[in-house]
Amino acid sequence: MLLLLPLALAAGCHRASPPPPASVDPASTAPEAPNQAAEPVIITEPGQPRYVGASTFEPARAAATIPVFAAKADLSNLVNREALSGFGAKHRDLLAANGFVAMPVADETLESVYLRNAADKLPSLLTSDALLCAFDRLADSVRARLEQADLPALLTATVLTLTERCTAQLAAAPSPNLKDAARRNTACFAVAASLLGVPVRVEAGAGAMAQAELALLKAGARAHSEVFGEEIDYALYRPGTGDSRQVRYDAACQWLGLAGWHADAEQPRATRMLLLLIHALGTPPDRALRQMEALADTRHYLVGAEPARLAPAFSAAAAVYSAKRRLADYDDMDRLRAVAKRLRQPLVLLPRPARLDDRVLTALSPASPSGLPSGLLVMQALGQSRAEWLAGTGYAVGAKLPAYAEALRRLRDELAAVDPRRWESDLAHGRLWASAPLDRRPTAGWPAWQQSAAWADKSLLTMLAVWSASRHRPDGAEPGVTVTASTPSTNVPPSYVEPAPDVYARLAQLAQALSIGLRGHGLLDADAETQTDRFTTLCLLAKRLSETELRNESLNAVDLKRLAGIGAELATIGADEDRLARPTMATAVAALGGTKLWEAVGPVQVVYAVVPDRGKLYVARGALLSYHEFTAPALNDTAWRGLVADGTAPGQPEWAASYLLANPFRPGLPTAKAAPFPPPALGAPTPSPPPPSPR
């Protein structure tokens, strides 16, 4: 008997009513020929991950040879010092002391700063912040497009195919034990189809199991799974609100990542379910296997999910069974035990995100000040040198909280065992990995401002902003802003690139891997290809110019003209119909009772830095990200932007005062906090901290 599984408990059921069931052609869900018990099939094997860059773009390692340069106390040796008109004495003094000074501005995007430079004929300082922000926008835009169209369609096709094949296995199974295993697999994919908004026809017993499982998802508590026959924490299922394809796709992915198929010598039913799944995936034509590989591989790269481990499961089965298999082969207890002996890890089709920084947050929360781990402590755990000094010596967190010191020690031992390649294997970790070279303290031969303690503070805050942005899920309703390019002056100013060749090389590698992986899985559309190629080219340009500057060579006229128009180029990265997502965003990373800890990227900042060109010194203007941390019960991006706009947003951490001052023209924009940071209970840090030691 076949049962039409309705959508009574589809995606978003916690918060929104699902749409009515869609009609389905009965022929499209009819079982395949039920002769699989008699005729063996040749099982196809999985392929290799596709999201791997072809090049590491390793920077040149020649010693930096930039002569020492500095602005005079009165700035009289800056050729274009008139660009600083309106600056107060504090701004001028900080610029002379550090070689740079920053302030918040009203620009809604970093690109706007560079477009204003072109209009004002002001030298541009292309910052690592600008390219890190552009990559974040590129990754988010590619992910959003995929999750709104291609990936939901691919997952729907895969789920329907697997539902058909499992239903056919159920009809053809030669024993009650195999029928039970096939029924459970059928129910699993019927649940996924329902969450995707696609009704399917399944056997009555499988339909009843699926309905019971959907009820457990709705309840959201730890319970015994009707499908998998084991306890599952359904509280981990947290679908988004609304009824978009992206929300339904995410709900189905969460379900298929909630539990796994595993081989167990003491539970032959679980082993049969696993073997029948492998059989269904690998049965020719192999479209289901290739589609599932594309889905799992892409989810791993986009959101930092664990690998699906299809290959080990298939290998374990292949070691026990021949390539030609019948369903009846899976009733042999000796071979079931042999598979269980070979396969120790479960097969999860679409694993949940497994970010290393989630592990940091979880490990540090109980022992952290106020029970909420600040971003500073996360960076300390990850080994950021300035964070280590501030948290370890400046605030003496470990000395004041011995339990925290012990939790940090255990956590670092755990992180030390992680394969370093993990950090560059996906976009969730890759953004932090790309920014990590900012923590390498430049020495003699680099620009003087990069050697300063203030720049170390700025680099820490850039890394914190990148971390915050990497955890953020963009609001699909955010329309973005339009940026208008101006015509660059024919009199090209002497612009400069922040020397950070390792950062630019890593960003290029991540973008290239994204393009290669999407192309390999047939998911790369023309727009994504154009934007990833364009971004890779920009990163390699910044890398090359950084290396030129570090050799103390002047940039040529062609490169200077390119930098003069860099704002227009950056504005094409991640753009949606000429509109750019604003970097101003807030993300909750931890909660304690009704209070949440928010990490936010605030208003755009401009940096004015002294740069050399052909024996003269100029002041160049670039764009920076800002980072904010605060507690609040509830917030979204719109509310956070409102706080920024009306001047009530909390400032940046107090150590930002080493380089950040109020905007003399917009004093309401947030700068550095006056209160101690982390929480006041720890007291203020040691005054006038020395610069961190070179790394």
Side-chain angles (χ1 to χ4, degrees):
M1 176 182 177
L2 293 176
L3 177 70
L4 179 65
L5 185 66
L7 299 179
L9 296 164
C13 54
H14 292 266
R15 306 175 183 85
S17 299
S23 60
V24 177
D25 180 0
S28 68
T29 55
E32 295 175 350
N35 61 0
Q36 297 182 43
E39 296 184 8
V41 296
I42 300 176
I43 302 299
T44 308
E45 293 294 315
Q48 297 296 319
R50 304 292 182 87
Y51 291 92
V52 180
S55 172
T56 57
F57 303 114
E58 186 69 18
R61 296 301 178 192
T65 58
I66 300 174
V68 176
F69 64 86
K72 293 182 178 179
D74 61 359
L75 308 180
S76 60
N77 60 335
L78 300 182
V79 173
N80 61 336
R81 56 188 174 278
E82 71 280 355
L84 305 175
S85 61
F87 276 32
K90 288 184 178 179
H91 296 77
R92 292 172 176 271
D93 291 346
L94 204 55
L95 177 63
N98 290 335
F100 77 104
V101 64
M103 65 187 73
V105 289
D107 296 82
E108 293 190 285
T109 68
L110 278 72
E111 289 70 22
S112 298
V113 173
Y114 294 100
L115 293 171
R116 286 199 291 117
N117 288 351
D120 297 344
K121 302 178 183 178
L122 188 65
S124 282
L125 173 65
L126 178 58
T127 61
S128 57
D129 296 56
L131 285 169
L132 287 161
C133 180
F135 181 72
D136 188 75
R137 190 172 60 239
L138 171 64
D140 285 345
S141 67
V142 169
R143 178 182 173 184
R145 286 201 302 273
L146 288 171
E147 291 185 350
Q148 290 162 6
D150 290 350
L151 293 179
L154 189 61
L155 182 57
T156 299
T158 309
V159 164
L160 288 177
T161 298
L162 291 173
T163 305
E164 294 170 6
R165 291 183 178 180
C166 292
T167 299
Q169 290 177 347
L170 174 55
S175 71
N177 286 334
L178 281 175
K179 283 187 179 293
D180 178 59
R183 181 176 291 114
R184 292 172 182 275
N185 281 352
T186 302
C188 174
F189 293 110
V191 171
S194 181
L195 295 174
L196 286 164
V198 181
V200 290
R201 292 188 181 277
V202 297
E203 182 259 355
M209 273 188 185
Q211 289 286 16
E213 202 70 39
L214 286 164
L216 292 173
L217 287 172
K218 183 178 182 181
R222 184 177 291 276
H224 183 81
S225 168
E226 292 294 323
V227 169
F228 290 96
E230 61 188 35
E231 192 172 85
I232 290 178
D233 186 2
Y234 293 94
L236 297 174
Y237 174 73
R238 298 168 184 161
T241 57
D243 188 45
S244 66
R245 293 187 75 188
Q246 189 172 13
V247 169
R248 286 192 175 277
Y249 163 77
D250 184 62
C253 287
Q254 288 192 46
W255 160 243
L256 293 175
L258 206 56
W261 285 259
H262 59 275
D264 190 330
E266 303 301 321
Q267 299 181 39
R269 181 180 66 192
T271 309
R272 288 190 184 96
M273 288 178 65
L274 170 67
L275 290 169
L276 288 177
L277 173 63
I278 292 172
H279 198 104
L281 282 168
T283 298
D286 62 356
R287 64 181 183 274
L289 177 58
R290 300 308 168 212
Q291 289 168 344
M292 187 56 71
E293 285 181 310
L295 288 161
D297 196 21
T298 300
R299 185 166 174 79
H300 164 70
Y301 195 70
L302 292 182
V303 304
E306 290 278 7
R309 300 191 180 93
L310 287 166
F314 273 72
S315 296
V320 176
Y321 299 92
S322 66
K324 288 187 176 182
R325 303 175 206 169
R326 296 179 176 87
L327 294 183
D329 294 341
Y330 306 134
D331 262 333
D332 185 330
M333 287 298 299
D334 288 338
R335 285 194 279 185
L336 290 179
R337 284 190 285 267
V339 171
K341 187 176 181 179
R342 291 176 178 274
L343 188 62
R344 299 298 183 185
Q345 293 181 308
L347 167 59
V348 181
L349 290 179
L350 296 176
R352 296 168 50 80
R355 295 176 55 131
L356 294 172
D357 51 315
D358 280 341
R359 176 64 191 133
V360 173
L361 290 166
T362 301
L364 296 185
S365 289
S368 296
S370 303
L372 294 171
S374 72
L376 175 67
L377 301 185
V378 171
M379 288 294 131
Q380 180 193 21
L382 295 178
Q384 212 278 348
S385 61
R386 189 59 169 166
E388 174 62 37
W389 196 96
L390 285 165
T393 302
Y395 293 108
V397 179
K400 296 174 183 177
L401 299 172
Y404 171 80
E406 177 58 23
L408 178 63
R409 184 193 63 77
R410 291 196 303 268
L411 178 63
R412 283 181 162 171
D413 289 343
E414 183 180 332
L415 292 174
V418 174
D419 186 342
R421 292 172 296 181
R422 174 75 180 278
W423 291 101
E424 59 187 278
S425 67
D426 59 70
L427 297 185
H429 297 96
R431 293 181 236 195
L432 268 176
W433 172 74
S435 67
L438 295 176
D439 187 41
R440 297 172 186 166
R441 185 72 180 279
T443 53
W446 290 68
W449 37 268
Q450 280 190 296
Q451 301 178 47
S452 68
W455 193 262
D457 289 334
K458 174 265 161 196
S459 296
L460 169 58
L461 287 162
T462 295
M463 293 178 68
L464 282 164
V466 168
W467 172 63
S468 175
S470 77
R471 299 186 62 85
H472 181 260
R473 280 304 304 271
D475 183 352
E478 163 62 20
V481 295
T482 302
V483 292
T484 304
S486 57
T487 303
S489 170
T490 54
N491 183 17
V492 178
S495 294
Y496 205 73
V497 176
E498 173 195 340
D502 289 276
V503 174
Y504 309 137
R506 291 184 177 193
L507 286 172
Q509 180 180 331
L510 291 172
Q512 186 194 61
L514 176 62
S515 179
I516 290 173
L518 292 175
R519 183 182 293 109
H521 289 306
L523 296 170
L524 184 66
D525 61 32
D527 186 52
E529 181 174 23
T530 298
Q531 293 205 34
T532 52
D533 289 350
R534 184 180 293 149
F535 180 77
T536 302
T537 300
L538 270 179
C539 290
L540 295 179
L541 170 71
K543 170 182 171 291
R544 177 175 61 81
L545 298 186
S546 291
E547 293 166 346
T548 300
E549 293 166 348
L550 291 172
R551 293 194 301 269
N552 195 33
E553 297 174 8
S554 298
L555 305 185
N556 61 44
V558 173
D559 291 332
L560 289 175
K561 185 175 181 180
R562 184 90 178 267
L563 287 177
I566 202 68
E569 285 198 59
L570 287 169
T572 65
I573 306 300
D576 183 7
E577 296 181 351
D578 298 326
R579 300 183 72 84
L580 291 181
R582 289 174 285 191
T584 316
M585 60 187 74
T587 306
V589 299
L592 183 64
T595 300
K596 293 182 179 180
L597 178 68
W598 296 85
E599 308 292 325
V601 179
V604 173
Q605 296 175 355
V606 292
V607 57
Y608 290 85
V610 178
V611 300
D613 183 72
R614 294 171 175 81
K616 298 179 180 179
L617 295 181
Y618 297 79
V619 62
R621 184 168 65 187
L624 301 180
L625 294 164
S626 66
Y627 163 79
H628 306 253
E629 182 177 75
F630 53 92
T631 57
L635 198 74
N636 58 25
D637 290 344
T638 301
W640 168 240
R641 289 170 185 141
L643 295 177
V644 170
D646 64 20
T648 59
Q652 293 204 102
E654 60 187 351
W655 65 81
S658 65
Y659 69 91
L660 180 67
L661 294 175
N663 187 325
F665 308 104
R666 293 291 299 272
L669 292 171
T671 52
K673 285 183 179 179
F677 181 91
L682 289 176
T686 302
S688 304
S693 58
R695 298 186 67 187

